[in-house]
PDB file of all heavy atoms in Angstrom:
ATOM      1  N   GLU A 151     103.347  56.427 120.447  1.00  0.00           N
ATOM      2  CA  GLU A 151     104.681  55.822 120.448  1.00  0.00           C
ATOM      3  C   GLU A 151     105.675  56.625 119.624  1.00  0.00           C
ATOM      4  O   GLU A 151     106.867  56.651 119.931  1.00  0.00           O
ATOM      5  CB  GLU A 151     104.612  54.397 119.929  1.00  0.00           C
ATOM      6  CG  GLU A 151     103.957  53.442 120.891  1.00  0.00           C
ATOM      7  CD  GLU A 151     103.701  52.079 120.299  1.00  0.00           C
ATOM      8  OE1 GLU A 151     104.174  51.802 119.156  1.00  0.00           O
ATOM      9  OE2 GLU A 151     103.020  51.273 120.956  1.00  0.00           O
ATOM     10  N   ARG A 152     105.196  57.245 118.592  1.00  0.00           N
ATOM     11  CA  ARG A 152     106.076  58.063 117.746  1.00  0.00           C
ATOM     12  C   ARG A 152     106.315  59.445 118.351  1.00  0.00           C
ATOM     13  O   ARG A 152     107.018  60.258 117.788  1.00  0.00           O
ATOM     14  CB  ARG A 152     105.488  58.185 116.338  1.00  0.00           C
ATOM     15  CG  ARG A 152     105.583  56.881 115.552  1.00  0.00           C
ATOM     16  CD  ARG A 152     104.949  57.019 114.181  1.00  0.00           C
ATOM     17  NE  ARG A 152     105.597  58.024 113.370  1.00  0.00           N
ATOM     18  CZ  ARG A 152     106.404  57.784 112.336  1.00  0.00           C
ATOM     19  NH1 ARG A 152     106.673  56.530 111.993  1.00  0.00           N
ATOM     20  NH2 ARG A 152     106.933  58.758 111.637  1.00  0.00           N
ATOM     21  N   GLY A 153     105.677  59.717 119.482  1.00  0.00           N
ATOM     22  CA  GLY A 153     105.887  60.986 120.166  1.00  0.00           C
ATOM     23  C   GLY A 153     105.068  62.128 119.616  1.00  0.00           C
ATOM     24  O   GLY A 153     105.386  63.292 119.820  1.00  0.00           O
ATOM     25  N   SER A 154     104.007  61.796 118.926  1.00  0.00           N
ATOM     26  CA  SER A 154     103.181  62.838 118.342  1.00  0.00           C
ATOM     27  C   SER A 154     102.119  63.262 119.335  1.00  0.00           C
ATOM     28  O   SER A 154     101.611  62.477 120.110  1.00  0.00           O
ATOM     29  CB  SER A 154     102.513  62.309 117.085  1.00  0.00           C
ATOM     30  OG  SER A 154     101.619  63.264 116.591  1.00  0.00           O
ATOM     31  N   ASN A 155     101.813  64.519 119.298  1.00  0.00           N
ATOM     32  CA  ASN A 155     100.704  65.028 120.115  1.00  0.00           C
ATOM     33  C   ASN A 155      99.900  66.040 119.309  1.00  0.00           C
ATOM     34  O   ASN A 155      99.423  67.013 119.846  1.00  0.00           O
ATOM     35  CB  ASN A 155     101.213  65.620 121.426  1.00  0.00           C
ATOM     36  CG  ASN A 155     102.215  66.726 121.183  1.00  0.00           C
ATOM     37  OD1 ASN A 155     102.478  67.109 120.056  1.00  0.00           O
ATOM     38  ND2 ASN A 155     102.783  67.248 122.259  1.00  0.00           N
ATOM     39  N   VAL A 156      99.801  65.770 118.020  1.00  0.00           N
ATOM     40  CA  VAL A 156      99.080  66.664 117.138  1.00  0.00           C
ATOM     41  C   VAL A 156      97.604  66.604 117.467  1.00  0.00           C
ATOM     42  O   VAL A 156      97.014  65.534 117.522  1.00  0.00           O
ATOM     43  CB  VAL A 156      99.298  66.268 115.656  1.00  0.00           C
ATOM     44  CG1 VAL A 156      98.444  67.121 114.740  1.00  0.00           C
ATOM     45  CG2 VAL A 156     100.765  66.393 115.299  1.00  0.00           C
ATOM     46  N   GLN A 157      97.035  67.723 117.743  1.00  0.00           N
ATOM     47  CA  GLN A 157      95.600  67.809 117.982  1.00  0.00           C
ATOM     48  C   GLN A 157      94.914  68.212 116.683  1.00  0.00           C
ATOM     49  O   GLN A 157      95.374  69.115 115.999  1.00  0.00           O
ATOM     50  CB  GLN A 157      95.285  68.853 119.057  1.00  0.00           C
ATOM     51  CG  GLN A 157      95.896  68.505 120.404  1.00  0.00           C
ATOM     52  CD  GLN A 157      95.309  67.216 120.967  1.00  0.00           C
ATOM     53  OE1 GLN A 157      94.100  67.021 120.931  1.00  0.00           O
ATOM     54  NE2 GLN A 157      96.166  66.345 121.460  1.00  0.00           N
ATOM     55  N   THR A 158      93.862  67.517 116.355  1.00  0.00           N
ATOM     56  CA  THR A 158      93.133  67.833 115.125  1.00  0.00           C
ATOM     57  C   THR A 158      91.685  68.074 115.449  1.00  0.00           C
ATOM     58  O   THR A 158      91.183  67.659 116.488  1.00  0.00           O
ATOM     59  CB  THR A 158      93.236  66.688 114.109  1.00  0.00           C
ATOM     60  OG1 THR A 158      92.686  65.516 114.699  1.00  0.00           O
ATOM     61  CG2 THR A 158      94.672  66.435 113.698  1.00  0.00           C
TER      62      THR A 158
END
Side-chain angles (χ1 to χ4, degrees):
E151 288 171 8
R152 288 178 61 106
S154 174
N155 57 4
V156 175
Q157 298 296 315
T158 60

